[in-house]
Amino acid sequence: RAVTASHTRAMRRGRAFVVWFALAWRQAHAFAWSAPLERSGRARDAPPLTSVEENTNTWAVIIDASRFWFNYRHSANALSMYRTVKRLGIPDSRVVLMLADDAACDARNPQHGRMYNDVNRGVELYGDDIEVDYRGTEVTPETVIRVLTNKHARGTPRSKKLLTDGASNILVYITGHGGDGFIKFQDQLELRTQELADAFAQMYAKNRYNEVFFIAETCQASTLAKAFASPRILALSSSGLGENSFSHHSDPDIGVYVIDRFTYNTLEFFEQLNVENTTTVDAYVKTLTQAKLLSTAVLDTKTFKHRAVNTVKLTEFFGGVSKTKVLSGVLDWFVGAESTSERTKPPTLSPKTPSLKYESVDIKTLGFR
């Protein structure tokens, strides 16, 4: 009996341990997949020294943060940039589009299902091939941070994710209403410069980008970039501290403004470009004069120190070009071409290693401890 009782107690303890282990594993697994936002700015490990790599893929995150019919122009701004990056070669699979409202299907829109950025209605922006990844109430500051840092809720489809790596150039364009150090979402929430800076710091620590081109079209837009500290972020803004960002013109038939001045002049410049164009960011910014914008376009290069702005081509962020590397001599060996004494063994691949510039960054300046 004593042996049987002892054996029974051991069995119970064993079953209890198995149940405890299963629950602990499930909780840890759920925590890892839910990926809550890390707003504290801390990281478990220090980011490694990251090299300035060659850009091999380009991504775009395009955000319209405003809702309501009278903000029609903000949707038109975002859709105009969406059309531009697609025309220059970035596929929908590498574009994350967020529209806080659906002006195209608004009951007050006489051109139902269509949107235009010009009173002459020369270009239909909505089209048949538009892919909106986040719309309506899905567009929040939290969603933006989750997309940038790749911390999504479990079950989020790949098409809604920014699947970048250390060789990715990323265009981030955001438009809406803002103020000193923030931009409004849904006329209720705010995304602040510190939150954006923290998101970029996490991206840098995880080697999620090569270079970032951040463009803000809002009032006091330059203040959105004032907290940025991560390397290789180029920030362009439609207005400076204390300045408004103005609309361009209205359409009398719908009774609202259809585009803002900054985006209108940007599109006017980009319509002259194709994917093989070598025009630089510096040349583009020079066209954004105060006479055209009625505000000051601000180019912030404080963390973009590894190369001069006049060497940065616009197509590095707005265009998608596939780059191919040719390895000579390899194919002959695989297909069994005429053998020589030098080809009796597989060729040794020794591609030239480019001289990489390594950056040493104090992670405390990025908000980590």
Side-chain angles (χ1 to χ4, degrees):
R1 289 181 181 178
V3 172
T4 303
S6 176
H7 180 71
T8 302
R9 285 195 296 271
M11 289 286 289
R12 287 175 180 173
R13 284 196 295 269
R15 284 197 295 269
F17 175 80
V18 171
V19 172
W20 173 84
F21 180 83
L23 290 174
W25 181 88
R26 182 177 180 181
Q27 185 176 3
H29 187 68
F31 177 82
W33 275 97
S34 62
L37 291 175
E38 296 178 9
R39 295 189 179 275
S40 62
R42 297 184 179 182
R44 295 177 183 175
D45 301 306
L49 293 178
T50 305
S51 62
V52 182
E53 301 182 28
E54 182 184 8
N55 165 229
T56 60
N57 58 92
T58 308
W59 294 70
V61 180
I62 300 174
I63 308 162
D64 161 31
S66 298
R67 61 182 302 183
F68 302 123
W69 173 249
F70 55 81
N71 290 319
Y72 179 104
R73 66 189 184 277
H74 294 153
S75 294
N77 290 344
L79 289 171
S80 298
M81 298 301 291
Y82 172 77
R83 174 183 173 273
T84 297
V85 298
K86 286 187 65 176
R87 183 180 66 83
L88 293 177
I90 302 181
D92 262 317
S93 58
R94 291 185 178 176
V95 179
V96 178
L97 177 61
M98 302 184 187
L99 297 180
D101 207 345
D102 195 356
C105 297
D106 193 286
R108 288 162 288 190
N109 186 0
Q111 292 86 36
H112 194 67
R114 298 183 177 89
M115 288 191 67
Y116 300 91
N117 58 9
D118 189 274
V119 67
N120 298 319
R121 299 173 194 159
V123 178
E124 205 280 287
L125 299 175
Y126 214 73
D128 297 325
D129 62 343
I130 182 175
E131 294 185 15
V132 183
D133 299 292
Y134 298 89
R135 67 169 75 241
T137 55
E138 290 182 315
V139 182
T140 63
E142 179 181 334
T143 301
V144 173
I145 300 301
R146 285 189 180 276
V147 168
L148 293 177
T149 57
N150 198 30
K151 295 180 178 179
H152 296 276
R154 187 174 185 179
T156 301
R158 286 176 60 88
S159 60
K160 290 190 170 189
K161 296 180 180 179
L162 188 70
L163 302 175
T164 56
D165 54 38
S168 303
N169 277 7
I170 307 174
L171 169 69
V172 180
Y173 172 88
I174 188 167
T175 180
H177 292 290
D180 186 359
F182 70 91
I183 185 169
K184 293 169 67 177
F185 277 71
Q186 308 281 351
D187 205 37
Q188 297 175 346
L189 306 171
E190 294 178 358
L191 176 64
R192 306 195 66 84
T193 176
Q194 292 86 356
E195 294 171 308
L196 280 170
D198 178 70
F200 286 132
Q202 292 183 52
M203 292 177 72
Y204 174 73
K206 296 175 181 177
N207 201 30
R208 280 179 50 75
Y209 71 83
N210 176 46
E211 294 172 338
V212 174
F213 192 9
F214 178 84
I215 301 179
E217 161 79 290
T218 181
C219 296
Q220 305 192 65
S222 65
T223 61
L224 273 179
K226 65 183 180 182
F228 292 178
S230 303
R232 305 191 300 278
I233 299 179
L234 192 61
L236 176 62
S237 311
S238 64
S239 55
L241 176 64
E243 291 184 333
N244 292 325
S245 185
F246 294 95
S247 54
H248 190 268
H249 68 276
S250 64
D251 184 341
D253 287 347
I254 62 176
V256 292
Y257 285 89
V258 294
I259 195 168
D260 283 324
R261 285 181 171 269
F262 176 87
T263 302
Y264 180 89
N265 287 282
T266 293
L267 295 178
E268 192 174 52
F269 182 84
F270 272 83
E271 286 301 313
Q272 307 169 29
L273 307 184
N274 57 46
V275 71
E276 298 178 352
N277 199 280
T278 58
T279 303
T280 64
V281 171
D282 185 56
Y284 156 56
V285 173
K286 288 178 180 177
T287 67
L288 301 173
T289 63
Q290 194 158 22
K292 292 180 179 179
L293 305 184
L294 303 182
S295 59
T296 307
V298 180
L299 184 65
D300 190 336
T301 61
K302 65 176 178 289
T303 71
F304 200 85
K305 299 177 180 179
H306 60 293
R307 59 174 175 149
V309 177
N310 59 10
T311 66
V312 181
K313 294 185 291 185
L314 287 170
T315 51
E316 293 180 43
F317 295 96
F318 286 85
V321 180
S322 299
K323 298 182 179 179
T324 305
K325 294 182 179 180
V326 179
L327 302 177
S328 60
V330 179
L331 184 61
D332 289 344
W333 178 77
F334 276 109
V335 300
E338 225 176 282
S339 189
T340 64
S341 58
E342 290 82 7
R343 292 187 179 180
T344 53
K345 296 181 180 179
T348 302
L349 302 181
S350 55
K352 295 182 179 178
T353 303
S355 57
L356 302 177
K357 297 179 181 179
Y358 289 87
E359 301 168 292
S360 179
V361 178
D362 184 358
I363 63 172
K364 292 183 180 179
T365 64
L366 302 181
F368 297 111
R369 297 292 183 269

